[in-house]
Amino acid sequence: MKYDPINSSLFIKNRKNFMAQMKPNSIAVFNSNDIYPVSADSTLPFEQHRDIFYLSGVDQEESILVLFPECPKPQFREILFLRETNEHIAVWEGEKLTKEKAYTSSGIKTVFWLQDLEKIMFELMSYAETIYINTNEHYRANVETETREDRFTKWLREKYPAHSVAKSNPILQRLRSVKDSIELNLIQSACDITEKGFRRVLGFVKPGVWEYEIEAEYIHEFVRNRSKKFAYTPIIASGNNANVLHYIENNQQCKSGDLILMDVGAEYANYSSDMTRTIPVSGRFSDRQKEVYNAVNKVKNEATKMLVPGTIWADYHIEVGKIMTSELLGLGLLDKADVQSEDPNWPAYKKYFMHGTSHHMGLDTHDYGLLHEPMKANMVFTVEPGIYLPKEGFGIRLEDDVVVQENGNPFNLMRNIPIEADEIEELMN
């Protein structure tokens, strides 16, 4: 792994918190992701399933975590199953986890090779009454592929049909949404790497550069600072491309007078950052561009103040809509008649700002979190308003990542990343 070792106390604590919410006499099982094939012998780069990583720190394929807090045999209350390593694998694929290194990473003392799984599971299931399966119930999930977790669940339910079934996901949604201080430091590291990429790009952009060249500048800086990749597919959208919310082609030339909307973030140790900045290709905003830019920045700053404990996500978005409506009136994009006759289900401001303002962020860019429950301290949210003007040939979105505090305004993890229009111009010139 490129990232520095993570203190195993994080994973020990995460398991303790999860097991405290399990039903009596129950087992929970978590699988690594598959390595997904492309064609012939090609595969996609391995990405660990965030749940097993959250609970164990194991960042390797073909790994399984079993939790059984009330097992009559104390040594079986936490078990890791790993793919057995050997000299041949070390030569062809690189070193895999040994049992000793797995313990160092996870704090789990009982480690077996995968070949022992069925035998040990048979014994464990004879003691247990309930089995927790791990399903993906994120509100944005749209999974068509049968995962390794799915296959294991199918095998488990066929082999042990008499056991009751419970779901891990509701527990994880709540636990993962509130970050430990170690996690906040890891997300801060991802944000700091993103800052380095952005500052590099500010010195690179000029009329005539191509969007993909800007993308290359970011990934160069990310990788040289221990990130393995973008946290999500980057958006480098110049001119009217910024008005396509998920524009990812990044294949157009940047022209003098245009703006570039850049929605990019580095990952670090599987934790995400999520930044959006909009900058002028020529190093200077026009008066109109700066007017709209400052309106978006004002909405972002006002919205951020509302991310406090007790806030309900849906109510928050209604209030952000009111702030955006006021700014759009000031810009002459809406008039009072537009607002008075608006459809409550699709307010007038949605013509220019049609997406949400905030989402949970952490191990996943759109991280776990139950949106109908009140916000809590140490949740991490994006704040990302935008105004999109196809007829004027530009769109502006600004986005920071912030931590909800017990008291006071959220803590901005991107506080050091330039965002004021005048500072952007100064740095570019």
Side-chain angles (χ1 to χ4, degrees):
M1 304 307 160
K2 291 185 173 74
Y3 56 86
D4 290 320
I6 301 170
N7 192 316
S8 64
S9 65
L10 171 64
F11 310 114
I12 293 168
K13 176 185 173 183
N14 291 346
R15 289 194 300 275
K16 180 181 178 181
N17 290 341
F18 182 90
M19 289 189 288
Q21 297 191 42
M22 291 173 66
K23 295 180 179 181
N25 212 24
S26 61
I27 294 177
V29 184
F30 303 90
N31 279 265
S32 292
N33 277 332
D34 283 314
I35 297 178
Y36 290 99
V38 177
S39 181
D41 63 346
S42 300
T43 60
L44 295 174
F46 175 68
E47 281 289 328
Q48 181 58 297
H49 196 298
R50 301 310 190 230
D51 290 337
I52 190 172
F53 182 81
Y54 176 79
L55 294 167
S56 72
V58 170
D59 202 352
Q60 181 174 293
E61 71 280 6
E62 296 185 62
S63 305
I64 296 176
L65 171 66
V66 177
L67 301 178
F68 188 178
E70 295 178 339
C71 183
K73 294 186 175 182
Q75 69 271 29
F76 285 172
R77 290 174 184 170
E78 297 182 341
I79 307 175
L80 270 177
F81 292 92
L82 303 176
R83 175 188 177 191
E84 184 172 5
T85 190
N86 55 44
E87 291 182 6
H88 176 80
I89 291 172
V91 169
W92 284 91
E93 299 180 28
E95 185 177 328
K96 300 293 181 182
L97 283 173
T98 63
K99 293 181 179 181
E100 293 75 18
K101 288 184 177 179
Y103 167 68
T104 300
S105 298
S106 66
I108 296 174
K109 296 178 180 177
T110 304
V111 183
F112 293 106
W113 301 131
L114 269 178
Q115 62 214 35
D116 297 320
L117 175 69
E118 289 198 33
K119 178 182 69 176
I120 293 170
M121 281 298 297
F122 182 80
E123 180 179 356
L124 297 181
M125 293 297 274
S126 69
Y127 302 134
E129 296 173 4
T130 301
I131 179 73
Y132 277 84
I133 60 172
N134 195 26
T135 50
N136 186 347
E137 298 176 27
H138 189 273
Y139 66 101
R140 290 182 183 234
N142 181 22
V143 182
E144 297 182 2
T145 303
E146 185 179 55
T147 65
R148 188 179 187 86
E149 198 83 82
D150 294 334
R151 295 196 306 275
F152 188 86
T153 297
K154 188 185 295 182
W155 170 79
L156 201 63
R157 297 186 73 173
E158 288 175 355
K159 189 167 181 65
Y160 301 101
H163 284 70
S164 299
V165 174
K167 299 189 300 182
S168 299
N169 192 261
I171 300 175
L172 287 167
Q173 289 268 14
R174 292 183 176 93
L175 290 180
R176 277 183 49 184
S177 66
V178 178
K179 273 54 178 182
D180 181 88
S181 60
I182 294 175
E183 292 183 286
L184 293 174
N185 288 335
L186 293 169
I187 299 170
Q188 182 68 74
S189 294
C191 291
D192 291 345
I193 295 170
T194 300
E195 177 192 352
K196 291 178 180 179
F198 179 62
R199 290 184 180 276
R200 179 189 182 98
V201 162
L202 285 177
F204 173 78
V205 167
K206 61 184 178 181
V209 302
W210 293 75
E211 292 166 348
Y212 57 76
E213 292 182 296
I214 298 171
E215 180 180 343
E217 293 297 307
Y218 274 110
I219 196 62
H220 177 103
E221 199 66 24
F222 289 179
V223 172
R224 72 192 294 262
N225 283 283
R226 289 181 172 263
S227 171
K228 66 180 176 183
K229 64 180 183 64
F230 289 102
Y232 50 92
T233 305
I235 297 169
I236 312 291
S238 62
N240 242 328
N241 294 333
N243 295 308
V244 179
L245 296 182
H246 291 122
Y247 171 83
I248 57 173
E249 283 79 6
N250 303 346
N251 62 2
Q252 299 298 304
Q253 195 169 28
C254 302
K255 299 173 183 176
S256 178
D258 278 349
L259 300 181
I260 311 169
L261 186 158
M262 303 178 293
D263 191 336
V264 299
E267 72 78 51
Y268 179 76
N270 292 315
Y271 284 85
S272 294
S273 63
D274 191 354
M275 177 200 75
T276 307
R277 292 293 186 270
T278 306
I279 65 173
V281 174
S282 304
R284 300 281 181 195
F285 294 96
S286 71
D287 290 345
R288 176 60 169 172
Q289 289 168 346
K290 185 174 285 191
E291 181 184 31
V292 177
Y293 185 100
N294 288 336
V296 174
N297 200 17
K298 182 177 178 181
V299 174
K300 185 189 76 70
N301 292 335
E302 292 301 311
T304 300
K305 297 173 186 176
M306 291 188 276
L307 294 173
V308 297
T311 296
I312 299 295
W313 186 83
D315 296 340
Y316 159 77
H317 279 94
I318 292 171
E319 294 304 312
V320 173
K322 293 176 183 177
I323 299 169
M324 178 60 80
T325 298
S326 175
E327 292 302 313
L328 292 172
L329 287 166
L331 292 168
L333 292 166
L334 294 179
D335 59 34
K336 290 183 179 179
D338 294 322
V339 178
Q340 289 168 353
S341 62
E342 69 183 9
D343 178 354
N345 295 316
W346 191 256
Y349 77 85
K350 288 285 189 181
K351 179 178 179 181
Y352 302 103
F353 173 40
M354 60 293 294
H355 58 78
T357 310
S358 295
H359 58 76
H360 287 272
M361 204 200 68
L363 277 168
D364 288 294
T365 305
H366 297 128
D367 205 24
Y368 280 5
L370 298 171
L371 299 182
H372 61 279
E373 296 189 354
M375 295 180 186
K376 296 180 179 178
N378 290 334
M379 287 184 170
V380 179
F381 285 95
T382 63
V383 189
E384 50 182 307
I387 295 176
Y388 306 93
L389 304 172
K391 291 181 180 178
E392 299 187 41
F394 68 91
I396 294 172
R397 182 165 68 251
L398 299 172
E399 176 184 22
D400 283 337
D401 305 333
V402 302
V403 187
V404 176
Q405 302 293 289
E406 194 67 59
N407 298 292
N409 290 336
F411 180 76
N412 189 351
L413 295 167
M414 293 186 162
R415 63 203 174 279
N416 296 324
I417 303 180
I419 195 167
E420 298 300 325
D422 291 344
E423 184 181 9
I424 296 294
E425 290 182 332
E426 182 179 340
L427 289 167
M428 293 187 76
N429 290 279

